[in-house]
Amino acid sequence: MKNYKNVFVFDHPLIKHKIAILRDKSTGMKEFRELIEEITTIMTYESMRDVQLTPVTVETPLETTVQYKVPEESVAIVPILRAGLGMVNGVHKVFPTARVGHIGMYRDEQTLEPQEYYCKLPEGIENKTVFLVDPMLATGGSACDALDALKKRGCKNIKFMAIIGAPEGVSKVAEAHPDVPVYVSTLDRQLNENGYILPGLGDAGDRLYGTK
């Protein structure tokens, strides 16, 4: 995969540790869900290094000082249903007042193409920094369609976050949306003939919610 200016792959030892446990097929649903949240929280910190801060006046016990804060109501989270829901609490740990929208996409098992079936977004989302989240960036089809849906509704400042990315999906999103930073904690080897990431971790939605 070639280098893209808008792609950021994290090389963090704590993430690597958690990914190793996440991949293990013997890791149970509860621990899997907790790991997804923990990795997302680390990624959120790292991906907001460019956040715009607003000066505020604070009274300490000793004096008045000017400090800097992230403006209230400036962040929104949009998970791609259903697996993206597992990342919402991870972002909320950093931005607890962030509003949450939802985009429902499913993959046609024959064509592997994404189909949108639901979209509900917070009012004023076009003025917020939007975290579009999905644990797996495989073919990139769902991510591209979700980004198109957000842009169609006026969103301009979007960050896409995935736990595991395949080169094929990362390249597709990076080229289709060069204005969107793409953050993945780990870049895996490839997709198999069924569009699953290798070595991957299986179906993230099934492992999050105990379904088959």
Side-chain angles (χ1 to χ4, degrees):
M1 190 184 82
K2 73 177 188 179
N3 292 326
Y4 296 95
K5 292 183 178 180
N6 60 323
V7 173
F8 305 90
V9 180
F10 294 110
D11 184 24
H12 196 294
L14 288 179
I15 290 180
K16 288 181 177 179
H17 168 79
K18 294 176 187 298
I19 288 289
I21 305 170
L22 198 67
R23 291 192 196 276
D24 193 327
K25 66 180 183 181
S26 67
T27 297
M29 182 177 62
K30 178 178 181 293
E31 186 175 12
F32 188 92
R33 187 167 57 244
E34 290 170 347
L35 287 164
I36 290 286
E37 291 183 13
E38 291 165 4
I39 294 168
T40 301
T41 298
I42 298 171
M43 293 180 68
T44 302
Y45 279 116
E46 292 295 320
S47 66
M48 288 296 279
R49 288 180 179 272
D50 61 347
V51 66
Q52 296 296 310
L53 299 174
T54 299
V56 295
T57 301
V58 175
E59 289 280 351
T60 80
L62 300 176
E63 64 181 28
T64 301
T65 179
V66 175
Q67 299 294 296
Y68 298 87
K69 297 176 67 176
V70 178
E72 291 290 331
E73 299 291 328
S74 64
V75 172
I77 313 164
V78 179
I80 299 177
L81 301 176
R82 64 183 166 137
L85 289 170
M87 298 177 69
V88 171
N89 285 346
V91 182
H92 263 156
K93 287 180 179 177
V94 184
F95 298 106
T97 62
R99 301 293 178 92
V100 181
H102 300 88
I103 291 182
M105 314 286 296
Y106 72 90
R107 183 171 63 171
D108 186 296
E109 295 300 328
Q110 300 300 317
T111 66
L112 301 184
E113 290 298 315
Q115 304 292 325
E116 179 183 324
Y117 65 88
Y118 184 77
C119 185
K120 179 73 172 178
L121 303 174
E123 184 177 351
I125 193 171
E126 66 276 5
N127 299 316
K128 301 179 187 294
T129 296
V130 181
F131 282 96
L132 180 66
V133 296
D134 195 1
M136 311 298 284
L137 178 53
T139 65
S142 294
C144 284
D145 281 11
L147 287 167
D148 287 338
L150 290 174
K151 289 181 176 181
K152 189 187 304 181
R153 291 162 174 84
C155 298
K156 298 174 287 294
N157 186 10
I158 310 169
K159 297 174 182 286
F160 178 78
M161 289 201 310
I163 305 293
I164 304 289
E168 297 92 332
V170 171
S171 295
K172 182 171 183 174
V173 175
E175 291 177 6
H177 295 277
D179 57 320
V180 175
V182 178
Y183 299 95
V184 293
S185 72
T186 301
L187 186 65
D188 274 10
R189 188 175 71 249
Q190 67 186 74
L191 297 177
N192 67 11
E193 65 277 6
N194 296 317
Y196 284 93
I197 302 174
L198 297 176
L201 46 75
D203 187 296
D206 286 343
R207 296 192 66 183
L208 277 163
Y209 304 117
T211 55
K212 291 289 186 183

